[in-house]
Structure formats: structure tokens, C-alpha cells
Amino acid sequence: MKIVTIVGARPQFIKAAAISRELRKRHQEILLHTGQHYDYAMSGVFFDGLEIPAPDINLGIGSGLHGSQTGAMLRGIEVVLLSKPPDWVIIYGDTNSTLAGALAASKLHIPVVHVEAGLRSFNRRMPEEINRVVSDHLSDLLLCPSAAAVANLTAEGITRKVHLVGDVMLDVLNWAKQRADGKPMEVLKRLGLNEREYLLATVHRSENTDDLERLTGILNALNALDEPVIFPVHPRARKAITGGMCRLQPHVRLIDPLGYFEMLAVTSSARLILTDSGGLQKEAYWLGVPCITLRDETEWVETVEIGWNTLVGSDCGRIVEAVRSFTPRASRAPLYGDGLVAARCVGLLE
Ligand code: UD1
């Protein structure tokens, strides 16, 4: 088969790493990077570290308002699909690159497979939610990470070609753990961190970074903590933080975004995670680190139900209280599959 894989943003490079490796054993893959993320720290470092083949095509679209960014991607992807018509187009997750891929392919009657289908926050103010709903309704094969995702699709009338496969990010985590072998401690040393004696924070969702009240609540909470906080900062958040009025205390350390292996090390050794990232909520769970989610809802409801994740939104008092008192349950059942998801996805394509 000939397959065009569309990626553009950091979490998509991670997911594609596992599936591309499996796909290329037997099929021809054309890897199309929209260029949505373009800094080395947001893009290249993942291709290098996770041994993802260099993109065959990079549209170099870069940043922009939703309409112009998505529109430019749609135009660029359509040209590629017309010149190299594939058997399938693979899209991942919920970014503008996902949406553009789904629209371009479906209008050309090329079957679309959506990896990480069916997730919902039920909050249409999130651009990601709009991207998910539209992409799912345009997809021909829907690969879901959880039973809740399958149920969400059923509730929207999508029942055909829906498969519960598990989460491909666990494949990547397991692969990376084997490769890391002893190296993790280097990054802790470089950053001057001791195991379980710091908190890891990440914030990048527009609902937090573009809303001054929410961002201030989160930053005030970090300032009020009495433990070191390491904060690898997404460019979107850096712009908002440095442009805002809130000064960070010295125990809150903003650092550049980390590559996959370094992030894995810093995550697994943290005492606690504070985040609005979807991927990090799951990684925290798999690595046995309690997670405080800086959102009002999550797509990864199982991590909350099972007692390892708590939703606190952006209220300063609630965040500080959760950091001091949140205690996960003793047990941690397997969640989101068995780490053999990439092979299952490729099998379903075949
Ligand atoms: C996107 C996705 C989100 C995903 C996230 C992962 C959409 C609507 N959102 O949000 O679902 O969880 O990626 O990180 O697609 N920027 C840089 N350098 C880069 C990339 C971005 O400076 O390499 C800046 C841009 O200039 C812009 C901001 O970061 O100001 C946001 O970039 P954008 O492309 O909108 O995506 P994310 O916010 O990262």
C-alpha cells in the first residue's frame, strides 16, 4: 500500500514514530509535515531522537490564525494528494494539521484513518475539540485509545469501522525506556534536580495561555509553592508569560522545551506533574507519577476515575491545595492498551 501520513505538531511526531516504524516494514509511506511546529526544539529533536525518517515533504506553513493556517495546509496537502494519490491518509490527534488532512483527503475520496479517534472534552471553545469532531466524522477508519472514546463516537452515530486499539503513545514510551538505559540521570544532573524533589509543570493550551485570568491563576499558584518547579515552556506559553505582568519566583524555572528522552526522564523522576497536556496526563500515569491537570475537563477520564489524576482548572487556591494534598490510590491498573498498538493499527489498515 501507499500511505500518506500527515503530521505537523509535537504530539503527532511522537505517535507517528511507532506507526511509521511498523508501516515501513511492508508498505510505502510518504511522510508529510505541514510545518505547524518548526523550531528544532518542537520538531527536529523528535525526528532525531525517535528515529523518525525525515519528512518527504515539508509544507513549511508555520504559525498563523486558525483559518489562514488551516487553509494553507489544506491547499498544500491537496496538491500532494493529487500528485501522489495514496491508498490511505493517516491523521493523528486533534491539531489543525489533523483537520486539514481530513478535509483534503475526504474531498478527494481518499480513505482517511484517524489515530486517536473519539476523544472528547465536550468543550467546543477548544480548537482541538472542533478538530476532533470534524476529523472523526470525515474518517473511514477510526482507531480509538479507550472504550470511552468508542462510546463518544457511538453517541454521535459513528459506529462503522470503529476499533478499540489502545494508545500508541505507550508503544513509544516502552521503546524509549529500553533505549534510554541509564542516560536519564544526565538530564537531571544538568538541570540540578534530585529525584522526587521537584514538580514538573507544562502549560500550552490556548484556553490557558490566551486567557490572562487563567494564566495568572496558574502562575500565581506556581509562585506560591514551596518546592522547585521545572517548567519546559512551549513557545505559545513563553510569549504569554513574558508578555504578561506576573513575575515568576526563582523556584519556578522556565527552560526550553525538552526532547522526548529528556522529558521522559524529567517526568518519571518528578514528585508530581502539573499540566494541561493530554499526552503528559497519560505518561504520568504509565510512569506512576501523580498528575494535577490544569483544566476543567479531560479527554483522559480514566486517569481521574482510577485516582491518579485530578482536575483543578486554573484557580490558584485549588492548584496549591492539590499540590499539597493530592494522594493517588495505591493500585495502578493497566490503562490504554498493551503497548502493541502500532502493529494492531497497521493490521487494520491491511
Ligand atoms: C498545537 C495544537 C494542539 C496540540 C499542540 C501540541 C492546534 C489547534 N493545536 O497547538 O492540539 O496539543 O499543538 O504542542 O493545532 N510556535 C513557535 N515555534 C514552534 C511552534 C509554535 O514559536 O515550533 C508558536 C507559534 O508561533 C504560535 C504558538 O506557538 O504563536 C502556537 O502554535 P500553534 O501552531 O497554534 O500550535 P500549538 O499551540 O502548539
Side-chain angles (χ1 to χ4, degrees):
M1 292 188 296
K2 183 156 100 186
I3 285 134
V4 169
T5 295
I6 296 174
V7 293
R10 186 167 59 175
Q12 296 169 327
F13 311 140
I14 298 170
K15 289 165 202 154
I19 295 197
S20 292
R21 215 180 326 276
E22 195 61 33
L23 207 53
R24 286 177 188 233
K25 289 180 186 166
R26 290 185 294 282
H27 304 289
Q28 184 199 350
E29 182 186 42
I30 297 164
L31 191 57
L32 187 159
H33 188 328
T34 61
Q36 178 169 351
H37 286 175
Y38 44 88
D39 291 341
Y40 181 75
M42 297 291 290
S43 174
V45 69
F46 295 92
F47 283 82
D48 293 346
L50 296 175
E51 298 173 17
I52 309 168
D56 298 283
I57 299 144
N58 190 327
L59 299 178
I61 306 282
S63 313
L65 296 172
H66 285 281
S68 52
Q69 187 186 54
T70 312
M73 290 174 184
L74 186 53
R75 186 186 301 135
I77 294 169
E78 185 177 62
V79 170
V80 174
L81 296 182
L82 282 170
S83 68
K84 303 175 199 293
D87 299 297
W88 285 100
V89 165
I90 303 184
I91 54 170
Y92 290 94
D94 58 15
T95 72
N96 288 342
S97 301
T98 315
L99 174 65
L103 279 169
S106 58
K107 293 250 176 142
L108 295 171
H109 313 297
I110 299 168
V112 178
V113 51
H114 187 195
V115 177
E116 208 181 73
L119 293 185
R120 296 290 182 269
S121 63
F122 303 101
N123 174 2
R124 290 270 173 115
R125 291 185 62 82
M126 290 175 71
E128 293 89 347
E129 182 76 352
I130 296 166
N131 294 343
R132 291 178 195 129
V133 171
V134 177
S135 299
D136 281 339
H137 281 262
L138 295 178
S139 292
D140 299 276
L141 182 61
L142 297 103
L143 305 179
C144 300
S146 64
V150 175
N152 291 337
L153 293 176
T154 307
E156 290 175 21
I158 306 175
T159 51
R160 288 187 64 247
K161 308 273 184 193
V162 174
H163 297 268
L164 173 57
V165 291
D167 196 315
V168 75
M169 286 185 77
L170 184 55
D171 296 28
V172 182
L173 185 85
N174 290 341
W175 178 88
K177 272 197 223 145
Q178 279 179 357
R179 294 271 166 141
D181 202 23
K183 283 192 216 114
M185 292 309 144
E186 285 168 24
V187 60
L188 295 192
K189 217 183 281 171
R190 176 164 67 78
L191 294 170
L193 300 170
N194 295 325
E195 250 182 288
R196 309 280 167 232
E197 290 180 10
Y198 64 91
L199 313 175
L200 169 66
T202 80
V203 178
H204 78 276
R205 299 251 170 215
S206 58
E207 68 200 82
N208 284 330
T209 58
D210 300 356
D211 180 328
L212 193 61
E213 200 182 321
R214 290 186 68 97
L215 185 64
T216 307
I218 293 169
L219 298 181
N220 283 341
L222 299 182
N223 275 342
L225 300 173
D226 42 22
E227 292 170 87
V229 179
I230 195 86
F231 187 165
V233 70
H234 185 288
R236 173 200 286 283
R238 188 179 283 279
K239 276 181 213 162
I241 293 168
T242 49
M245 305 302 283
C246 186
R247 293 223 164 276
L248 290 173
Q249 296 297 317
H251 71 276
V252 184
R253 280 173 57 200
L254 290 190
I255 59 169
D256 286 337
L258 296 170
Y260 187 84
F261 284 91
E262 293 192 329
M263 190 64 182
L264 181 60
V266 172
T267 304
S268 59
S269 296
R271 182 181 81 72
L272 198 104
I273 313 284
L274 295 121
T275 191
D276 61 6
S277 152
L280 202 50
Q281 291 172 58
K282 293 175 287 176
E283 286 163 344
Y285 183 78
W286 290 323
L287 296 166
V289 182
C291 185
I292 291 174
T293 296
L294 306 169
R295 292 179 53 198
D296 301 319
E297 68 281 308
T298 180
E299 302 77 24
W300 305 101
V301 287
E302 301 79 3
T303 57
V304 176
E305 286 160 5
I306 220 160
W308 278 76
N309 187 5
T310 181
L311 294 175
V312 296
S314 59
D315 178 73
C316 175
R318 281 185 72 194
I319 298 170
V320 173
E321 173 55 27
V323 169
R324 298 206 170 127
S325 64
F326 180 59
T327 315
R329 286 205 198 117
S331 62
R332 200 161 46 89
L335 269 188
Y336 308 123
D338 53 7
L340 302 170
V341 176
R344 197 168 296 125
C345 293
V346 174
L348 285 163
L349 279 181
E350 287 166 347

